[in-house]
Amino acid sequence: MRALELGELGFAAVIVLTYVAALGVRRRSRREAVEVDTVPEASVAAVLAAIALAAIMFGLVWARFLVDFGVGLLVVALARLVLEVRAEREARQ
Amino acid sequence: MSTTSTTAPDAVAPARIPGWLGAAISTDHKRIAVNLGACAFGFFVLGGLFALLMRAQLAQPSSQLLSDQAYNELFSMHGSTMIYLFVTPMAVALALYLVPLQIGAIRSSAPRIALSGFWTWLCGGLIMQSGWLTAGGAGRDGWFAYTPLSNGSNTPGPGMDMWVVGVILAALGLMAIAAAVVATVVRRRAPGMTLLRMPVFSWTALVSVLMVVGSFPVLVIAMVLLYIDRHGGHIFTGFSGAIDYQDLFWFFGHPVVYVMFFPYLGAAAEAIAVGARKRWFGYLPFVASIIAFGALSMSVWAHHMFTTGGITNQYFAFTSTALVVPAGIEYFDMVATLIGGAIVLRTSMLFALAFFLQFLIGGLSGIFVASPVLDYHAEDSYLVVGHFHYTLFAGSVFGLFAGVYHWFPKLTGALLRESLGKLQLGLMVVGTNLTFFPMFFLGQDGMPRRISRYPAHPGWRTLNVLETVGAGVLALGVLVFVINVVVSLRAREPAGDDPWLGHTLEWATSSPPPPHNFERPLPAIRSYAPLLDLREHS
């Protein structure tokens, strides 16, 4: 029991320290003079992901093939999202 | 830190696509918010039709217009449509459109998440309504789906499953949009826009979306567990199972009442301050009261369960009654803003005043049902129906229309017709009070809610007929609004950038705002009313 409590305490300490470190990194990055911000104007991936999730959920109730369709669509949406994010990163550079 | 913006290359992120497709996949927070608001209004009309059918049934004590099951489906889908698909998403839509503009942000944070949230919510709404097409009919266990009524044995069939899945998707979608609004406030405020310089509406919207993020996950959990329970999971079994479900549901169900109130309160407050040509009185106490209101509202959920015997009534009666303190501050601020103001009685101002006056009836009747002793008498009677319709319809929907008349010129660049607006207001005030005020008398006299036929007690028929007539007048009021929008968009009266001499930053940009919100430099931000500061200094 004592070992478990010590483990929990250690885990909590790690979480707090990680959070503090993340805050420190963020503050340092804020000191940059100019941050280039890319703004996506449209996102097919976001729409496809939502429709995929809905197809999976609806498929649970209505028809199994919709679950399979939804999973496939989700893969397409995620692939598309990767391309969109990569394009944004290139635009930033 | 300064920020420059660019757009992602056309090769992957599509260039601006005109028309419906472009609007459907746009990540502009204004476009997403308009889409969300328009779809939510469509669901409002649908939910209103359900209400009209119910009122037609109740015009006669033993009407045979609807079967018992059809009536159960109608009141369940009316409540579900209004709460999950109209009032809450409309509040989130207002927040998504206006908060980035009011805090001087060039865009919202996490635009893809917001866009995905809109589509998830819309699919959820359509799935919920598609239950009507199934053989067993749509969900019929109220907007709360209490167990054991909603388990697989008592409510079999795919219609109820579609309701559960629809609620899950709608809640997930709204959570995503709410998270985007929170992130926008945290990360994208303009230089000088500290938290305590955010406009009144933005504060009400922020607290509202924080409550969405805090309480909606519990609804999703409750619905997932209910789905498993309905398919042989045996999760909510026995007395404790029923109480557990109610605890989970109302931990979402009460905060959502304030999600459906705060942004409309903020909209009415903005309309009153601008209409009175005065700064909103008592900004800091107002902000503190909204935060206290939000915190308290997360601790009152079980006042919906006083009569179950499964909770500590004293605690929840205390926290529920304590809500009158922040509410009192808000009313005090409203009255103090009006005193000494150069009041212009535009439609937005009149709707805002009606919001405050009618919500007062809902609030005061809430004090009665916050007392367990009185609640034992009022529980499951029409008194409760009257109470929550005075808060949600006579309150929130009037606040919404105050906001619509106030910000429509900003959204479209065109003014709504004032004469039609005042006609709509008159019809809606008459209709609202004719529909919902008799419910207090019926409830006090013992008429139960959720019944399709009632005994011919003296006076019950007359009061029910009055309510049915009132519902028809309300529908006329909504029709006048639709006509007003169509007429105003077809024969446009240009509004200009700032037709009301507004106080906040959204009035410092063009109408409608450009894709990146502001093309001119922002004025210096020294308070929650920077444009009023500018006018006073010049």
Side-chain angles (χ1 to χ4, degrees), chain A residues 37 39-41 80 84 88, chain B residues 4 6 12 16 27 107 112:
Chain A
D37 183 17
V39 185
E41 287 189 346
R80 172 98 197 170
E84 286 183 13
E88 266 186 55
Chain B
T4 58
T6 182
V12 176
R16 200 164 295 155
T27 48
R107 68 174 177 103
R112 287 192 188 89

Side-chain angles (χ1 to χ4, degrees), chain B residues 116-134:
Chain B
S116 204
F118 162 67
W119 279 99
T120 307
W121 166 83
L122 182 61
C123 290
L126 294 174
I127 289 172
M128 189 192 290
Q129 300 297 339
S130 65
W132 290 107
L133 305 175
T134 62

Side-chain angles (χ1 to χ4, degrees), chain A residues 18-35:
Chain A
T18 309
Y19 186 67
V20 169
L23 274 181
V25 169
R26 194 161 155 250
R27 281 193 186 284
R28 261 198 299 281
S29 69
R30 275 192 173 185
R31 288 189 199 124
E32 293 168 22
V34 175
E35 178 191 307

